[in-house]
Amino acid sequence: MAMRQTPLTCSGHTRPVVDLAFSGITPYGYFLISACKDGKPMLRQGDTGDWIGTFLGHKGAVWGATLNKEATKAATAAADFTAKVWDAVSGDEILSLAHKHIVKSVNFTQDSNCLLTGGNDKVLRIYDLSKPEAEPQEIAGHTSAIKKALWCNNDQQILSASEDKTIRLWDRNTKEAVKTLSFEASVSSMEYIADGEILVITYGRTIAFYNAHSLDLIKTVDAPASIHSASLHPDKDFFVAGGDDFKLYKYDYSTKEEMESYKGHFGPVHCVRFSPDGELYASGSEDGTLRLWQTAVGKTYGLWKCVLPEELSSENSDALYCPPPEIKA
Amino acid sequence: MKTPVSVSRLPRGPDPNSRGFDPSSPRYIALCHTTGTDAVHVEEEQRLRTELRERFLRSLILMSNKEVYFSMYERVQVQAKFGASDIDILNFQVSDLQTPLGVQKEAILRCQDIISYSFDL
């Protein structure tokens, strides 16, 4: 029996959600951090969306947020010209790294020892978190603001996407640009999949997949609307994308066919990411909410319950919440 | 029409009164290296905290009807006769508050505006 997707809405933010990231799978499950223009990034339990805590300290919009693999540390990039490192268990601020302009992106290395930052001052910075007082290593080259900076290829290289319409691959040691990709338009998002070395890039209405080592194009897919973010499923069988038309799209990665589209958000979708186990994906929107969507609709997982038709009409259905059809504004 | 997937409940939202990170959660207890998680340290810390709190409250009692000098924000210095504090130490009731504009017979000083205060024993 075909079932209709019930997205789970995580409220709490008061302004647009511009970035989100999942941790790896830890003994306590996996976690999700959301960056919001209200300046208060939040940590949530990844499979349920339950709020765990809010990182308080930034004095401006938070543009980027990330968690380390173990979800013990968080990092945020903000319009108050700082990147901050947080203890993701206690919620305490550990470090505040001053920058010369709005910081847009933060990313930990696999061992959580180094933090990569990038922002409007066009410079990539590498901070050694064991020596926070020391000056960061700097990599210059971009001619416009950096939107996203990621470690890749075993933390030996760095991928950066900028408003200068290029994506550059840098060698971490020589600080030289190994390769550059140029586009007609500014890249709206970038995702790096370590397992398989795939880079997912979005620009205009296109979702493009590249080999992260060679930066060779694998394939491109065009969506019905301008796309702000896309994410590839860990098993690489599908990918999801969202953008200007408020919808979430699900595509078959091999055939490039659009499989499903989901309405739900009341504003453009700014970010979308698959969970580390691929069972759900989270989207952040201009409407200030995060929504969790099931990959396999109808499956029992997290807060979603697979209910057989008989159970729905029996007395046992008191514990279940059957959402009414969405009221369209 | 397709049946919508059921959920057991909705995701829990933020607590309006706290920033979260529940110290009684299993993850917090297991991972937070708090200085003195063992009973001995916690007891000692509590004992010290109790002592300091009691000293502070006694200092407020001693202050009543005495002339107290307050340093406030914006480089403001005033003096007044201290009356009492409210229960949450948010406001001080004072009399004969000497200000650049004259003497205010009765006034309330917001504690959040006070940087420090001193008085003679």
Side-chain angles (χ1 to χ4, degrees):
Chain A
M1 182 186 69
M3 304 222 62
R4 192 153 60 87
Q5 168 92 260
T6 302
L8 291 169
T9 303
C10 306
S11 56
H13 283 305
T14 53
R15 298 227 35 229
V17 176
V18 290
D19 193 22
L20 66 91
F22 280 99
S23 68
I25 298 174
T26 81
Y28 305 91
Y30 58 87
F31 300 84
L32 166 61
I33 187 171
S34 49
C36 182
K37 286 192 186 177
D38 64 11
K40 304 196 182 89
M42 291 186 178
L43 184 72
R44 293 175 192 271
Q45 191 70 42
D47 61 339
T48 58
D50 289 338
W51 174 82
I52 293 174
T54 304
F55 298 101
L56 298 175
H58 274 301
K59 295 188 179 67
V62 176
W63 287 101
T66 191
L67 289 166
N68 67 351
K69 230 175 12 176
E70 303 80 18
T72 50
K73 290 210 186 96
T76 50
D80 62 6
F81 293 20
T82 69
K84 288 184 193 280
V85 178
W86 312 80
D87 179 322
V89 185
S90 67
D92 294 334
E93 184 182 312
I94 300 175
L95 273 182
S96 188
L97 305 163
H99 287 64
K100 301 199 176 64
H101 210 309
I102 296 171
V103 194
K104 284 285 181 76
S105 177
V106 272
N107 196 230
F108 285 106
T109 46
Q110 301 276 51
D111 58 10
S112 312
N113 272 342
C114 292
L115 184 74
L116 172 66
T117 70
N120 288 14
D121 69 354
K122 314 171 200 172
V123 173
L124 291 160
R125 286 189 175 77
I126 300 166
Y127 290 85
D128 179 338
L129 298 177
S130 58
K131 297 192 214 98
E133 309 293 309
E135 286 298 307
Q137 292 188 297
E138 292 186 2
I139 301 178
H142 276 297
T143 55
S144 198
I146 292 166
K147 296 176 78 162
K148 196 94 182 173
L150 300 170
W151 292 103
C152 64
N153 305 331
N154 244 320
D155 301 334
Q156 291 314 296
Q157 291 181 313
I158 290 166
L159 273 163
S160 57
S162 161
E163 304 269 11
D164 64 12
K165 304 187 193 159
T166 68
I167 285 186
R168 299 181 199 211
L169 179 64
W170 311 83
D171 181 291
R172 180 238 186 106
N173 300 307
T174 65
K175 305 203 235 169
E176 302 275 296
V178 170
K179 259 202 159 248
T180 302
L181 282 175
S182 293
F183 298 87
E184 296 288 296
S186 192
V187 164
S188 46
S189 82
M190 198 166 69
E191 183 190 43
Y192 168 66
I193 317 277
D195 173 26
E197 302 290 354
I198 297 176
L199 185 61
V200 184
I201 292 168
T202 59
Y203 54 91
R205 296 207 267 127
T206 308
I207 303 123
F209 300 87
Y210 285 81
N211 175 299
H213 269 296
S214 61
L215 290 194
D216 286 337
L217 179 64
I218 301 171
K219 62 176 82 175
T220 64
V221 179
D222 280 339
S226 191
I227 296 296
H228 295 179
S229 180
S231 183
L232 180 62
H233 188 274
D235 295 339
K236 301 170 193 58
D237 34 16
F238 11 75
F239 64 93
V240 288
D244 271 347
D245 67 357
F246 312 175
K247 290 192 207 173
L248 264 297
Y249 291 95
K250 184 176 173 190
Y251 287 85
D252 181 306
Y253 181 59
S254 334
T255 66
K256 309 207 294 186
E257 269 172 47
E258 183 190 311
M259 294 165 72
E260 284 274 9
S261 69
Y262 301 110
K263 290 190 201 177
H265 277 298
F266 295 104
V269 175
H270 289 308
C271 44
V272 60
R273 282 290 179 270
F274 266 107
S275 62
D277 62 2
E279 295 282 357
L280 59 81
Y281 43 102
S283 58
S285 164
E286 184 76 9
D287 67 11
T289 67
L290 266 120
R291 278 172 208 244
L292 303 181
W293 309 81
Q294 278 191 293
T295 302
V297 178
K299 184 175 173 182
T300 297
Y301 182 83
L303 300 177
W304 291 288
K305 283 205 86 144
C306 175
V307 172
L308 301 169
E310 311 89 64
E311 285 180 17
L312 267 177
S313 45
S314 78
E315 304 90 61
N316 301 341
S317 66
D318 286 343
L320 299 173
Y321 172 73
C322 234
E326 291 243 338
I327 299 163
K328 310 233 182 322
Chain B
M1 201 187 79
K2 289 184 192 172
T3 321
V5 179
S6 303
V7 292
S8 52
R9 61 169 173 84
L10 298 178
R12 290 187 203 113
D15 173 2
N17 300 318
S18 98
R19 66 176 179 124
F21 299 102
D22 180 14
S24 61
S25 76
R27 190 171 94 111
Y28 190 106
I29 294 166
L31 298 177
C32 256
H33 22 250
T34 42
T35 48
T37 29
D38 54 311
V40 175
H41 280 120
V42 167
E43 249 179 60
E44 174 64 8
E45 194 181 309
Q46 283 193 325
R47 193 191 64 75
L48 289 168
R49 282 183 189 279
T50 311
E51 199 183 302
L52 286 169
R53 178 72 177 170
E54 196 179 319
R55 273 165 62 172
F56 171 68
L57 292 171
R58 287 190 187 284
S59 80
L60 285 179
I61 296 172
L62 261 180
M63 242 166 50
S64 31
N65 295 319
K66 290 223 170 59
E67 200 64 18
V68 180
Y69 301 87
F70 297 92
S71 285
M72 324 265 286
Y73 282 95
E74 306 286 347
R75 296 175 206 278
V76 168
Q77 312 267 15
V78 290
Q79 69 186 78
K81 191 165 75 145
F82 180 79
S85 167
D86 67 356
I87 192 147
D88 296 311
I89 327 286
L90 289 173
N91 298 288
F92 285 167
Q93 178 255 316
V94 297
S95 314
D96 295 325
L97 175 70
Q98 320 230 346
T99 80
L101 295 174
V103 179
Q104 183 69 35
K105 216 157 182 306
E106 304 291 341
I108 295 225
L109 294 177
R110 285 192 313 193
C111 291
Q112 74 209 60
D113 296 338
I114 302 170
I115 297 172
S116 66
Y117 60 85
S118 62
F119 65 101
D120 293 319
L121 286 167

